[in-house]
Amino acid sequence: MVSQVEPSQSLALRGPSSVVSRSSRHRRHGRSHAGGSSFVPQNEFPVFSHTGDVEILVKAGSQTNRYLLHRIILTQCSGFFEASTSQEWSKASNEGGVELARIGEDSGSESARNKEIKKRWRYELDTGASDDDIPMLVQKENTHASLFGSTDARPPPVRNKPPSSNPSFFRSVANLSLSTPQASSAPPLSPQDQDLLNDYDNLFRIFYNYPPALDPIDIATAYIQCKSLLTLADLYDALAVVGPRIDHHLLQFQSRLWKQIAKYPSSYLKLGYLAQSKSIFQEALIHVVGAWPMGERHIRHQLPDTVLDIIEDKAEELDDLVGKIEGRLYRLSLMTSRGERVNPHNSYLDWLVMSLFRQWLADSTSPPPAPPMPRVSQSRNGGGHARNNTIQVTVAATHHNNQTVQQFHPSSTVSSSSSNAPTNTNPHLGRVFRTLGTTPSSYLGHDECKKFLKLTPEIYSRDNLKKFEKRLEEMKSLARDMVRPLMRSGLLGEGTHVSYLVCTKVTERDFPWNE
Protein backbone atom coordinates (compact mmCIF):
# COMPACT_ATOMS: atom_id res chain seq x y z
CA MET A 1 0.00 0.00 0.00
CA VAL A 2 1.61 3.28 -1.20
CA SER A 3 1.13 6.43 0.86
CA GLN A 4 0.34 9.64 -0.97
CA VAL A 5 0.53 13.21 0.08
CA GLU A 6 -2.76 14.78 0.90
CA PRO A 7 -3.81 17.49 -1.58
CA SER A 8 -4.51 19.94 1.25
CA GLN A 9 -0.95 19.55 2.55
CA SER A 10 0.47 20.19 -0.88
CA LEU A 11 -1.48 23.40 -1.21
CA ALA A 12 -0.50 24.51 2.28
CA LEU A 13 3.22 24.12 1.53
CA ARG A 14 3.08 26.22 -1.64
CA GLY A 15 1.32 29.15 -0.03
CA PRO A 16 -0.72 31.80 -1.80
CA SER A 17 0.22 32.80 -5.32
CA SER A 18 0.67 36.42 -4.29
CA VAL A 19 3.41 35.52 -1.79
CA VAL A 20 5.30 33.55 -4.38
CA SER A 21 5.19 36.37 -6.90
CA ARG A 22 6.41 38.91 -4.34
CA SER A 23 9.34 36.77 -3.25
CA SER A 24 10.38 36.06 -6.82
CA ARG A 25 10.26 39.77 -7.66
CA HIS A 26 12.33 40.50 -4.58
CA ARG A 27 15.06 38.07 -5.70
CA ARG A 28 15.19 39.63 -9.19
CA HIS A 29 15.33 43.22 -7.88
CA GLY A 30 19.13 43.52 -7.89
CA ARG A 31 19.59 42.15 -11.39
CA SER A 32 20.60 44.35 -14.29
CA HIS A 33 18.89 43.80 -17.62
CA ALA A 34 21.76 45.57 -19.42
CA GLY A 35 24.33 42.95 -18.55
CA GLY A 36 25.94 44.89 -15.62
CA SER A 37 25.26 46.01 -12.09
CA SER A 38 22.32 48.28 -11.40
CA PHE A 39 22.92 52.05 -11.23
CA VAL A 40 23.02 53.54 -7.73
CA PRO A 41 23.08 57.38 -7.55
CA GLN A 42 26.13 58.64 -5.70
CA ASN A 43 25.89 60.74 -2.59
CA GLU A 44 29.43 62.09 -2.31
CA PHE A 45 31.47 65.02 -3.53
CA PRO A 46 30.96 66.59 -6.05
CA VAL A 47 27.40 65.29 -6.54
CA PHE A 48 25.32 64.56 -3.44
CA SER A 49 22.31 63.11 -5.21
CA HIS A 50 20.33 62.31 -2.04
CA THR A 51 21.06 65.25 0.24
CA GLY A 52 22.36 68.07 -1.99
CA ASP A 53 20.17 71.14 -2.42
CA VAL A 54 22.41 73.58 -4.33
CA GLU A 55 23.25 72.87 -7.96
CA ILE A 56 26.22 74.73 -9.44
CA LEU A 57 27.17 74.67 -13.12
CA VAL A 58 30.66 75.91 -13.98
CA LYS A 59 31.13 76.11 -17.74
CA ALA A 60 34.40 77.10 -19.38
CA GLY A 61 34.83 76.59 -23.08
CA SER A 62 33.25 73.31 -24.13
CA GLN A 63 33.35 71.70 -20.68
CA THR A 64 30.82 72.01 -17.88
CA ASN A 65 31.47 70.85 -14.33
CA ARG A 66 28.37 70.07 -12.29
CA TYR A 67 28.18 70.19 -8.51
CA LEU A 68 25.31 69.25 -6.23
CA LEU A 69 26.27 70.54 -2.80
CA HIS A 70 24.70 71.50 0.52
CA ARG A 71 23.51 74.98 1.34
CA ILE A 72 24.50 74.69 5.00
CA ILE A 73 28.15 74.02 4.12
CA LEU A 74 28.29 76.69 1.43
CA THR A 75 26.85 79.34 3.74
CA GLN A 76 29.29 78.44 6.52
CA CYS A 77 32.28 78.78 4.18
CA SER A 78 31.24 81.67 1.93
CA GLY A 79 29.57 84.97 2.66
CA PHE A 80 28.42 85.10 -0.96
CA PHE A 81 26.30 81.96 -0.63
CA GLU A 82 25.06 83.04 2.79
CA ALA A 83 23.69 86.26 1.33
CA SER A 84 22.42 84.88 -1.99
CA THR A 85 20.52 81.98 -0.40
CA SER A 86 18.89 84.19 2.21
CA GLN A 87 15.20 84.87 2.05
CA GLU A 88 15.77 88.36 0.66
CA TRP A 89 17.84 87.36 -2.38
CA SER A 90 16.98 83.70 -2.82
CA LYS A 91 15.47 82.34 -6.04
CA ALA A 92 15.00 78.85 -4.66
CA SER A 93 12.36 76.53 -6.05
CA ASN A 94 10.24 74.07 -4.06
CA GLU A 95 10.93 70.41 -4.69
CA GLY A 96 7.67 68.56 -5.35
CA GLY A 97 5.53 71.11 -3.55
CA VAL A 98 2.37 70.62 -5.67
CA GLU A 99 2.64 66.85 -5.69
CA LEU A 100 3.06 66.65 -1.92
CA ALA A 101 0.07 68.88 -1.33
CA ARG A 102 -2.10 66.90 -3.76
CA ILE A 103 -1.08 63.59 -2.27
CA GLY A 104 -1.85 64.89 1.20
CA GLU A 105 -5.30 66.00 0.20
CA ASP A 106 -6.17 62.73 -1.52
CA SER A 107 -4.86 60.42 1.16
CA GLY A 108 -5.88 62.52 4.10
CA SER A 109 -2.51 61.87 5.73
CA GLU A 110 -1.64 64.48 8.31
CA SER A 111 2.12 63.85 7.96
CA ALA A 112 2.05 64.42 4.21
CA ARG A 113 0.22 67.73 4.61
CA ASN A 114 2.63 68.95 7.29
CA LYS A 115 5.78 67.79 5.56
CA GLU A 116 8.24 70.62 5.03
CA ILE A 117 8.84 71.52 1.42
CA LYS A 118 12.54 71.28 0.54
CA LYS A 119 14.07 74.23 -1.31
CA ARG A 120 16.54 73.98 -4.17
CA TRP A 121 19.00 76.55 -5.51
CA ARG A 122 20.71 76.70 -8.86
CA TYR A 123 23.81 78.71 -9.88
CA GLU A 124 25.46 79.11 -13.26
CA LEU A 125 28.76 80.74 -14.12
CA ASP A 126 28.24 83.99 -16.02
CA THR A 127 31.36 85.01 -17.95
CA GLY A 128 30.03 88.50 -18.73
CA ALA A 129 29.55 90.42 -21.94
CA SER A 130 33.21 91.28 -22.58
CA ASP A 131 36.61 89.75 -21.88
CA ASP A 132 37.28 92.32 -19.16
CA ASP A 133 34.36 91.10 -17.04
CA ILE A 134 35.11 88.77 -14.14
CA PRO A 135 33.27 85.41 -14.33
CA MET A 136 30.80 85.13 -11.47
CA LEU A 137 28.22 82.63 -10.28
CA VAL A 138 24.68 83.91 -10.84
CA GLN A 139 21.60 82.44 -9.24
CA LYS A 140 19.06 81.10 -11.71
CA GLU A 141 15.52 79.85 -11.39
CA ASN A 142 14.83 76.17 -12.00
CA THR A 143 12.92 76.55 -15.26
CA HIS A 144 14.26 73.42 -16.91
CA ALA A 145 15.54 69.97 -16.05
CA SER A 146 18.66 69.78 -13.90
CA LEU A 147 20.36 67.40 -11.55
CA PHE A 148 17.28 67.56 -9.36
CA GLY A 149 15.12 66.20 -12.15
CA SER A 150 12.09 67.77 -13.79
CA THR A 151 10.57 70.83 -12.19
CA ASP A 152 7.17 70.27 -13.78
CA ALA A 153 4.49 70.60 -11.09
CA ARG A 154 1.97 68.40 -12.89
CA PRO A 155 1.64 64.84 -11.50
CA PRO A 156 2.56 61.97 -13.81
CA PRO A 157 -0.31 60.18 -15.55
CA VAL A 158 -1.77 57.17 -13.74
CA ARG A 159 -1.28 53.84 -15.54
CA ASN A 160 -3.17 50.68 -14.65
CA LYS A 161 -0.67 48.39 -16.38
CA PRO A 162 2.90 48.72 -17.59
CA PRO A 163 3.24 50.01 -21.14
CA SER A 164 4.13 47.61 -23.85
CA SER A 165 7.66 47.69 -25.22
CA ASN A 166 8.15 49.76 -28.34
CA PRO A 167 10.54 48.17 -30.87
CA SER A 168 11.34 51.53 -32.45
CA PHE A 169 12.64 52.82 -29.13
CA PHE A 170 15.18 50.02 -28.81
CA ARG A 171 16.31 50.54 -32.41
CA SER A 172 16.90 54.25 -31.75
CA VAL A 173 18.90 53.46 -28.61
CA ALA A 174 21.01 50.96 -30.54
CA ASN A 175 21.66 53.46 -33.31
CA LEU A 176 22.62 56.08 -30.73
CA SER A 177 25.11 53.74 -29.07
CA LEU A 178 26.65 52.88 -32.43
CA SER A 179 26.99 56.49 -33.50
CA THR A 180 28.56 57.68 -30.23
CA PRO A 181 32.17 56.67 -31.00
CA GLN A 182 31.94 58.41 -34.39
CA ALA A 183 30.91 61.74 -32.85
CA SER A 184 33.40 64.57 -33.19
CA SER A 185 35.44 65.21 -30.06
CA ALA A 186 35.05 68.52 -28.23
CA PRO A 187 37.68 71.18 -28.88
CA PRO A 188 40.49 71.27 -26.32
CA LEU A 189 40.23 73.72 -23.48
CA SER A 190 42.42 76.79 -23.41
CA PRO A 191 44.81 77.18 -20.45
CA GLN A 192 42.66 80.02 -19.08
CA ASP A 193 39.49 77.88 -19.17
CA GLN A 194 41.27 74.95 -17.56
CA ASP A 195 42.63 77.17 -14.80
CA LEU A 196 39.14 78.55 -14.18
CA LEU A 197 37.68 75.06 -13.82
CA ASN A 198 40.52 74.02 -11.51
CA ASP A 199 40.05 77.09 -9.31
CA TYR A 200 36.35 76.44 -8.77
CA ASP A 201 36.98 72.75 -8.19
CA ASN A 202 39.67 73.53 -5.60
CA LEU A 203 37.37 76.06 -3.95
CA PHE A 204 34.58 73.54 -3.45
CA ARG A 205 37.04 70.82 -2.44
CA ILE A 206 38.32 73.03 0.37
CA PHE A 207 34.74 73.70 1.47
CA TYR A 208 34.32 69.94 1.97
CA ASN A 209 37.70 69.51 3.66
CA TYR A 210 39.33 67.86 0.66
CA PRO A 211 42.94 68.84 -0.19
CA PRO A 212 43.16 71.19 -3.18
CA ALA A 213 44.93 70.02 -6.33
CA LEU A 214 48.01 72.29 -6.19
CA ASP A 215 51.51 71.69 -7.53
CA PRO A 216 53.61 70.08 -4.76
CA ILE A 217 56.97 70.28 -6.61
CA ASP A 218 57.37 73.54 -8.54
CA ILE A 219 56.97 76.48 -6.17
CA ALA A 220 56.58 78.99 -9.01
CA THR A 221 53.59 77.07 -10.40
CA ALA A 222 52.19 76.59 -6.90
CA TYR A 223 52.40 80.35 -6.29
CA ILE A 224 50.40 81.10 -9.45
CA GLN A 225 47.76 78.52 -8.51
CA CYS A 226 47.51 79.77 -4.93
CA LYS A 227 47.26 83.39 -6.04
CA SER A 228 44.45 82.57 -8.48
CA LEU A 229 42.60 80.51 -5.87
CA LEU A 230 42.89 83.26 -3.27
CA THR A 231 41.56 85.81 -5.76
CA LEU A 232 38.54 83.57 -6.36
CA ALA A 233 38.05 83.04 -2.62
CA ASP A 234 38.18 86.80 -2.08
CA LEU A 235 35.46 87.18 -4.72
CA TYR A 236 33.15 84.85 -2.79
CA ASP A 237 34.14 86.03 0.71
CA ALA A 238 35.78 82.72 1.62
CA LEU A 239 39.33 83.77 2.52
CA ALA A 240 38.93 82.63 6.12
CA VAL A 241 38.41 79.04 4.90
CA VAL A 242 40.76 78.95 1.89
CA GLY A 243 43.65 80.88 3.48
CA PRO A 244 44.79 78.18 5.95
CA ARG A 245 44.87 75.60 3.16
CA ILE A 246 47.10 77.85 1.04
CA ASP A 247 49.33 78.54 4.02
CA HIS A 248 49.69 74.83 4.77
CA HIS A 249 50.55 73.99 1.17
CA LEU A 250 53.19 76.70 0.67
CA LEU A 251 54.91 76.11 4.01
CA GLN A 252 55.73 72.60 2.82
CA PHE A 253 58.37 74.09 0.48
CA GLN A 254 60.31 75.38 3.54
CA SER A 255 63.66 76.90 2.45
CA ARG A 256 62.58 77.26 -1.17
CA LEU A 257 59.66 79.37 -0.03
CA TRP A 258 61.91 81.78 1.91
CA LYS A 259 64.18 82.19 -1.11
CA GLN A 260 61.20 82.98 -3.34
CA ILE A 261 59.92 85.54 -0.84
CA ALA A 262 63.34 87.23 -0.82
CA LYS A 263 63.18 87.49 -4.63
CA TYR A 264 59.58 88.71 -4.87
CA PRO A 265 58.70 90.20 -1.46
CA SER A 266 55.89 92.52 -2.61
CA SER A 267 54.06 89.70 -4.43
CA TYR A 268 54.25 87.36 -1.47
CA LEU A 269 53.23 90.17 0.86
CA LYS A 270 49.88 90.36 -0.90
CA LEU A 271 49.55 86.57 -0.94
CA GLY A 272 50.30 86.39 2.78
CA TYR A 273 47.77 89.14 3.43
CA LEU A 274 45.00 87.35 1.50
CA ALA A 275 45.81 83.95 3.01
CA GLN A 276 46.20 85.50 6.48
CA SER A 277 49.46 83.60 6.80
CA LYS A 278 51.57 84.98 9.64
CA SER A 279 54.78 83.31 8.47
CA ILE A 280 54.57 84.42 4.84
CA PHE A 281 53.34 87.93 5.69
CA GLN A 282 56.06 88.46 8.31
CA GLU A 283 58.84 87.23 6.02
CA ALA A 284 57.71 89.41 3.12
CA LEU A 285 57.09 92.43 5.36
CA ILE A 286 60.67 92.37 6.70
CA HIS A 287 62.06 92.34 3.15
CA VAL A 288 59.73 95.10 1.99
CA VAL A 289 60.52 97.36 4.95
CA GLY A 290 64.26 96.81 4.59
CA ALA A 291 64.23 97.73 0.88
CA TRP A 292 61.65 100.52 1.22
CA PRO A 293 60.84 102.59 -0.86
CA MET A 294 61.74 100.05 -3.57
CA GLY A 295 58.55 98.52 -4.97
CA GLU A 296 56.41 101.25 -3.43
CA ARG A 297 54.41 101.92 -6.60
CA HIS A 298 53.53 98.25 -7.04
CA ILE A 299 52.52 97.86 -3.40
CA ARG A 300 50.32 100.96 -3.37
CA HIS A 301 48.26 99.58 -6.26
CA GLN A 302 47.98 96.05 -4.87
CA LEU A 303 47.43 96.35 -1.11
CA PRO A 304 44.98 98.28 1.09
CA ASP A 305 45.90 101.33 3.11
CA THR A 306 46.12 99.37 6.35
CA VAL A 307 49.08 97.38 5.03
CA LEU A 308 50.70 100.54 3.66
CA ASP A 309 50.40 102.18 7.07
CA ILE A 310 52.15 99.21 8.67
CA ILE A 311 54.97 99.35 6.10
CA GLU A 312 55.49 103.08 6.51
CA ASP A 313 55.46 102.85 10.31
CA LYS A 314 58.02 100.04 10.29
CA ALA A 315 60.20 101.87 7.75
CA GLU A 316 60.12 104.99 9.89
CA GLU A 317 61.12 103.02 12.98
CA LEU A 318 63.99 101.44 11.07
CA ASP A 319 65.19 104.82 9.79
CA ASP A 320 65.13 106.24 13.32
CA LEU A 321 67.19 103.32 14.61
CA VAL A 322 69.69 103.64 11.76
CA GLY A 323 70.00 107.39 12.33
CA LYS A 324 70.73 106.93 16.03
CA ILE A 325 73.38 104.30 15.42
CA GLU A 326 74.98 106.33 12.62
CA GLY A 327 75.25 109.30 14.95
CA ARG A 328 76.93 107.17 17.60
CA LEU A 329 79.37 105.80 15.06
CA TYR A 330 80.39 109.27 13.93
CA ARG A 331 80.85 110.33 17.58
CA LEU A 332 82.89 107.25 18.33
CA SER A 333 86.25 108.27 19.81
CA LEU A 334 89.35 106.74 21.32
CA MET A 335 90.66 107.66 24.77
CA THR A 336 94.20 108.39 25.86
CA SER A 337 95.91 106.73 28.82
CA ARG A 338 94.88 109.72 30.96
CA GLY A 339 91.19 109.27 30.05
CA GLU A 340 90.99 112.17 27.63
CA ARG A 341 89.44 112.16 24.20
CA VAL A 342 91.93 111.78 21.42
CA ASN A 343 92.63 114.93 19.41
CA PRO A 344 95.49 116.11 17.17
CA HIS A 345 97.25 117.71 20.12
CA ASN A 346 97.46 114.85 22.63
CA SER A 347 97.78 111.84 20.26
CA TYR A 348 98.17 112.61 16.57
CA LEU A 349 98.55 108.98 15.48
CA ASP A 350 95.36 107.92 17.26
CA TRP A 351 93.58 110.91 15.75
CA LEU A 352 94.62 109.64 12.31
CA VAL A 353 93.06 106.27 13.20
CA MET A 354 89.75 107.98 13.99
CA SER A 355 89.96 110.10 10.83
CA LEU A 356 90.48 107.07 8.60
CA PHE A 357 87.60 105.18 10.22
CA ARG A 358 85.19 108.13 9.90
CA GLN A 359 86.20 108.71 6.29
CA TRP A 360 85.50 105.08 5.46
CA LEU A 361 82.16 105.24 7.29
CA ALA A 362 81.12 108.39 5.44
CA ASP A 363 82.05 106.94 2.05
CA SER A 364 80.23 103.65 2.78
CA THR A 365 76.98 105.04 4.21
CA SER A 366 76.53 107.98 1.85
CA PRO A 367 74.22 107.53 -1.12
CA PRO A 368 75.84 107.15 -4.52
CA PRO A 369 76.68 110.46 -6.20
CA ALA A 370 74.10 111.94 -8.51
CA PRO A 371 74.79 111.58 -12.23
CA PRO A 372 76.35 114.66 -13.82
CA MET A 373 73.86 117.10 -15.25
CA PRO A 374 73.83 117.49 -19.04
CA ARG A 375 75.76 120.42 -20.35
CA VAL A 376 73.45 123.26 -21.39
CA SER A 377 74.49 125.84 -23.94
CA GLN A 378 73.50 129.35 -22.81
CA SER A 379 73.56 132.23 -25.25
CA ARG A 380 74.21 135.81 -24.18
CA ASN A 381 72.28 137.90 -26.63
CA GLY A 382 71.21 140.71 -24.32
CA GLY A 383 70.83 141.99 -20.80
CA GLY A 384 67.25 140.80 -20.56
CA HIS A 385 68.39 137.17 -20.51
CA ALA A 386 70.95 137.90 -17.82
CA ARG A 387 68.37 139.35 -15.46
CA ASN A 388 66.03 136.33 -15.84
CA ASN A 389 66.74 133.09 -13.97
CA THR A 390 65.62 130.99 -16.94
CA ILE A 391 67.58 129.56 -19.79
CA GLN A 392 66.56 128.19 -23.16
CA VAL A 393 67.29 124.54 -23.71
CA THR A 394 66.86 122.78 -27.03
CA VAL A 395 65.61 119.25 -26.59
CA ALA A 396 66.02 116.80 -29.43
CA ALA A 397 63.43 114.06 -29.11
CA THR A 398 63.49 110.81 -31.04
CA HIS A 399 59.92 110.79 -32.33
CA HIS A 400 59.23 114.51 -32.17
CA ASN A 401 60.57 117.63 -33.81
CA ASN A 402 63.02 119.91 -32.09
CA GLN A 403 61.21 122.09 -29.63
CA THR A 404 62.25 124.77 -27.17
CA VAL A 405 61.30 124.30 -23.53
CA GLN A 406 61.83 126.64 -20.64
CA GLN A 407 63.78 125.20 -17.72
CA PHE A 408 64.06 126.73 -14.27
CA HIS A 409 67.33 127.36 -12.53
CA PRO A 410 69.04 124.09 -11.53
CA SER A 411 69.18 125.08 -7.87
CA SER A 412 65.39 125.17 -7.56
CA THR A 413 65.09 121.79 -9.28
CA VAL A 414 67.55 120.16 -6.94
CA SER A 415 65.86 121.55 -3.84
CA SER A 416 62.43 120.37 -4.93
CA SER A 417 63.61 116.87 -5.75
CA SER A 418 65.56 116.54 -2.52
CA SER A 419 62.49 117.39 -0.44
CA ASN A 420 60.65 114.39 -1.89
CA ALA A 421 63.63 112.06 -1.64
CA PRO A 422 63.37 109.14 0.84
CA THR A 423 65.35 109.31 4.04
CA ASN A 424 67.32 106.16 3.25
CA THR A 425 68.69 106.47 -0.27
CA ASN A 426 71.62 104.04 0.05
CA PRO A 427 70.47 100.64 -1.25
CA HIS A 428 73.51 98.91 0.27
CA LEU A 429 73.21 100.27 3.80
CA GLY A 430 72.45 96.88 5.29
CA ARG A 431 75.59 95.39 3.78
CA VAL A 432 77.67 98.21 5.29
CA PHE A 433 76.38 97.59 8.81
CA ARG A 434 76.85 93.84 8.43
CA THR A 435 80.46 94.55 7.45
CA LEU A 436 80.87 96.59 10.62
CA GLY A 437 79.33 93.87 12.80
CA THR A 438 81.14 90.88 11.32
CA THR A 439 84.02 89.16 13.10
CA PRO A 440 86.79 89.14 11.92
CA SER A 441 86.58 92.47 10.15
CA SER A 442 86.99 92.62 6.39
CA TYR A 443 87.53 96.37 5.95
CA LEU A 444 90.52 98.70 6.42
CA GLY A 445 93.09 95.94 6.31
CA HIS A 446 96.86 96.00 6.53
CA ASP A 447 97.49 97.31 3.02
CA GLU A 448 95.09 100.20 3.42
CA CYS A 449 96.60 101.21 6.75
CA LYS A 450 100.10 101.07 5.28
CA LYS A 451 99.08 103.13 2.27
CA PHE A 452 97.41 105.71 4.51
CA LEU A 453 100.40 106.13 6.83
CA LYS A 454 102.79 106.54 3.90
CA LEU A 455 100.95 109.78 3.06
CA THR A 456 102.92 111.28 6.00
CA PRO A 457 106.45 109.87 5.59
CA GLU A 458 107.75 111.54 8.75
CA ILE A 459 105.61 109.34 11.01
CA TYR A 460 105.62 106.15 8.96
CA SER A 461 107.51 103.28 10.61
CA ARG A 462 106.89 99.64 11.39
CA ASP A 463 106.23 100.38 15.06
CA ASN A 464 103.79 103.16 14.23
CA LEU A 465 102.06 100.90 11.70
CA LYS A 466 101.58 98.18 14.35
CA LYS A 467 100.31 100.73 16.85
CA PHE A 468 98.01 102.21 14.20
CA GLU A 469 96.51 98.80 13.37
CA LYS A 470 96.06 97.98 17.06
CA ARG A 471 94.17 101.21 17.77
CA LEU A 472 92.09 100.68 14.62
CA GLU A 473 91.03 97.26 15.92
CA GLU A 474 89.83 98.98 19.08
CA MET A 475 87.68 101.30 16.93
CA LYS A 476 86.27 98.32 15.04
CA SER A 477 85.42 96.55 18.29
CA LEU A 478 83.54 99.58 19.58
CA ALA A 479 81.71 99.93 16.27
CA ARG A 480 80.81 96.24 16.32
CA ASP A 481 79.05 96.61 19.65
CA MET A 482 77.17 99.69 18.43
CA VAL A 483 75.68 98.07 15.32
CA ARG A 484 74.57 94.92 17.15
CA PRO A 485 70.88 95.96 17.19
CA LEU A 486 71.01 96.21 13.38
CA MET A 487 72.56 92.76 13.04
CA ARG A 488 69.49 90.96 14.34
CA SER A 489 67.37 89.11 11.81
CA GLY A 490 63.64 88.50 12.07
CA LEU A 491 63.62 86.25 9.02
CA LEU A 492 62.80 82.58 9.03
CA GLY A 493 65.18 82.10 6.12
CA GLU A 494 68.65 83.45 5.47
CA GLY A 495 69.09 87.21 5.23
CA THR A 496 72.84 87.57 4.79
CA HIS A 497 72.76 87.76 1.00
CA VAL A 498 70.51 90.84 0.82
CA SER A 499 71.86 94.40 0.73
CA TYR A 500 69.32 95.90 3.14
CA LEU A 501 68.57 95.53 6.83
CA VAL A 502 66.35 92.68 8.04
CA CYS A 503 66.16 93.59 11.73
CA THR A 504 62.49 94.67 11.64
CA LYS A 505 60.52 93.17 14.49
CA VAL A 506 56.97 92.02 13.70
CA THR A 507 54.51 91.48 16.55
CA GLU A 508 50.95 90.20 16.73
CA ARG A 509 49.49 93.69 16.47
CA ASP A 510 51.26 94.20 13.12
CA PHE A 511 49.06 91.65 11.34
CA PRO A 512 46.27 93.66 9.68
CA TRP A 513 43.62 90.93 9.95
CA ASN A 514 43.84 91.05 13.78
CA GLU A 515 42.44 94.58 13.86
Side-chain angles (χ1 to χ4, degrees):
M1 180 175 174
V2 181
S3 62
Q4 296 181 355
V5 181
E6 294 291 333
S8 59
Q9 295 178 358
S10 174
L11 292 176
L13 290 174
R14 290 183 60 189
S17 59
S18 60
V19 175
V20 176
S21 61
R22 282 199 302 269
S23 62
S24 61
R25 284 198 301 269
H26 178 72
R27 287 192 298 269
R28 292 194 301 267
H29 181 70
R31 296 181 182 179
S32 173
H33 299 283
S37 60
S38 61
F39 172 75
V40 178
Q42 62 176 348
N43 192 48
E44 59 185 12
F45 184 85
V47 178
F48 294 89
S49 302
H50 299 162
T51 58
D53 53 3
V54 179
E55 182 185 9
I56 301 175
L57 304 179
V58 181
K59 182 178 181 181
S62 59
Q63 183 175 342
T64 302
N65 289 349
R66 295 175 177 266
Y67 300 89
L68 186 54
L69 308 177
H70 305 91
R71 173 183 175 271
I72 185 173
I73 294 180
L74 294 178
T75 55
Q76 289 176 352
C77 299
S78 169
F80 167 82
F81 287 103
E82 182 180 6
S84 60
T85 58
S86 61
Q87 187 175 2
E88 182 179 0
W89 300 97
S90 176
K91 296 182 180 179
S93 62
N94 298 330
E95 180 191 10
V98 178
E99 291 89 335
L100 289 176
R102 187 169 299 171
I103 293 174
E105 293 176 358
D106 295 341
S107 61
S109 172
E110 189 69 23
S111 60
R113 285 195 298 266
N114 297 334
K115 186 176 181 180
E116 183 181 359
I117 300 175
K118 192 173 184 180
K119 292 184 177 181
R120 303 285 189 176
W121 291 266
R122 178 184 176 89
Y123 291 87
E124 295 181 5
L125 185 64
D126 187 2
T127 57
S130 62
D131 296 337
D132 297 334
D133 295 338
I134 300 177
M136 188 76 179
L137 289 176
V138 178
Q139 190 172 169
K140 301 286 186 178
E141 295 183 359
N142 284 324
T143 57
H144 55 279
S146 64
L147 287 177
F148 302 119
S150 176
T151 59
D152 190 4
R154 294 173 299 177
V158 179
R159 299 180 182 273
N160 297 326
K161 61 180 180 178
S164 58
S165 61
N166 191 353
S168 62
F169 170 75
F170 294 102
R171 284 196 300 270
S172 62
V173 172
N175 295 334
L176 179 62
S177 62
L178 293 176
S179 61
T180 300
Q182 301 177 358
S184 59
S185 59
L189 291 176
S190 63
Q192 295 78 8
D193 293 338
Q194 187 62 52
D195 293 341
L196 183 64
L197 293 176
N198 293 339
D199 290 341
Y200 274 93
D201 189 67
N202 285 331
L203 180 67
F204 297 138
R205 288 174 66 88
I206 292 175
F207 286 176
Y208 280 84
N209 205 24
Y210 285 95
L214 302 173
D215 196 312
I217 300 175
D218 187 7
I219 188 172
T221 304
Y223 165 78
I224 296 174
Q225 294 174 344
C226 292
K227 179 182 177 182
S228 180
L229 181 56
L230 285 172
T231 304
L232 185 66
D234 189 18
L235 188 65
Y236 291 100
D237 193 15
L239 288 176
V241 178
V242 178
R245 282 286 188 173
I246 299 298
D247 184 30
H248 176 267
H249 181 78
L250 289 178
L251 289 179
Q252 295 176 353
F253 291 97
Q254 298 182 355
S255 61
R256 287 184 292 168
L257 174 63
W258 313 134
K259 292 179 181 178
Q260 285 294 106
I261 294 177
K263 290 181 180 179
Y264 314 102
S266 59
S267 300
Y268 276 91
L269 183 66
K270 180 181 179 181
L271 186 141
Y273 169 73
L274 293 176
Q276 298 184 6
S277 170
K278 293 183 178 180
S279 301
I280 297 177
F281 185 84
Q282 173 181 334
E283 192 84 0
L285 180 63
I286 294 174
H287 285 286
V288 169
V289 171
W292 192 258
M294 293 178 59
E296 179 181 3
R297 181 178 302 177
H298 173 73
I299 293 175
R300 288 192 181 276
H301 288 84
Q302 295 292 329
L303 292 171
D305 294 337
T306 55
V307 180
L308 290 174
D309 293 340
I310 295 174
I311 296 174
E312 292 175 349
D313 292 344
K314 291 296 181 181
E316 186 177 355
E317 293 176 3
L318 182 60
D319 288 340
D320 292 342
L321 180 60
V322 170
K324 291 178 181 179
I325 293 179
E326 272 188 322
R328 294 174 184 174
L329 289 173
Y330 279 110
R331 293 190 299 269
L332 188 62
S333 178
L334 294 174
M335 307 298 290
T336 63
S337 58
R338 297 187 298 269
E340 299 176 352
R341 289 182 179 272
V342 170
N343 56 59
H345 303 287
N346 55 19
S347 180
Y348 183 73
L349 186 63
D350 293 345
W351 179 78
L352 290 179
V353 172
M354 294 166 47
S355 300
L356 179 60
F357 175 82
R358 290 171 180 172
Q359 183 62 40
W360 177 89
L361 182 64
D363 293 340
S364 301
T365 57
S366 299
M373 298 187 62
R375 299 180 61 183
V376 179
S377 60
Q378 182 176 1
S379 60
R380 299 179 180 179
N381 296 329
H385 292 281
R387 287 191 298 267
N388 294 333
N389 288 330
T390 60
I391 56 177
Q392 299 294 328
V393 182
T394 303
V395 180
T398 306
H399 301 287
H400 302 278
N401 297 328
N402 293 342
Q403 56 182 356
T404 302
V405 297
Q406 195 174 32
Q407 180 177 343
F408 289 96
H409 196 270
S411 61
S412 63
T413 305
V414 173
S415 62
S416 63
S417 61
S418 61
S419 61
N420 297 328
T423 56
N424 178 18
T425 56
N426 188 355
H428 305 290
L429 195 61
R431 191 168 295 165
V432 174
F433 286 110
R434 273 191 288 272
T435 302
L436 288 169
T438 304
T439 304
S441 62
S442 59
Y443 65 100
L444 296 179
H446 174 76
D447 294 337
E448 293 176 324
C449 294
K450 184 177 180 179
K451 184 178 179 180
F452 178 74
L453 275 184
K454 281 187 176 182
L455 296 177
T456 54
E458 61 273 12
I459 64 172
Y460 175 75
S461 64
R462 297 183 62 180
D463 293 337
N464 286 339
L465 180 60
K466 290 182 180 179
K467 183 180 179 181
F468 185 92
E469 291 179 343
K470 182 179 179 181
R471 297 292 278 174
L472 183 59
E473 285 298 326
E474 294 179 13
M475 287 285 294
K476 292 180 180 180
S477 178
L478 295 174
R480 190 178 302 116
D481 295 336
M482 285 188 178
V483 300
R484 190 167 296 171
L486 299 178
M487 296 295 295
R488 300 168 185 167
S489 175
L491 298 175
L492 298 174
E494 296 182 359
T496 57
H497 62 283
V498 296
S499 60
Y500 44 82
L501 295 171
V502 292
C503 58
T504 303
K505 185 178 180 181
V506 182
T507 60
E508 285 291 330
R509 66 174 185 173
D510 296 324
F511 297 116
W513 52 83
N514 290 339
E515 298 179 356

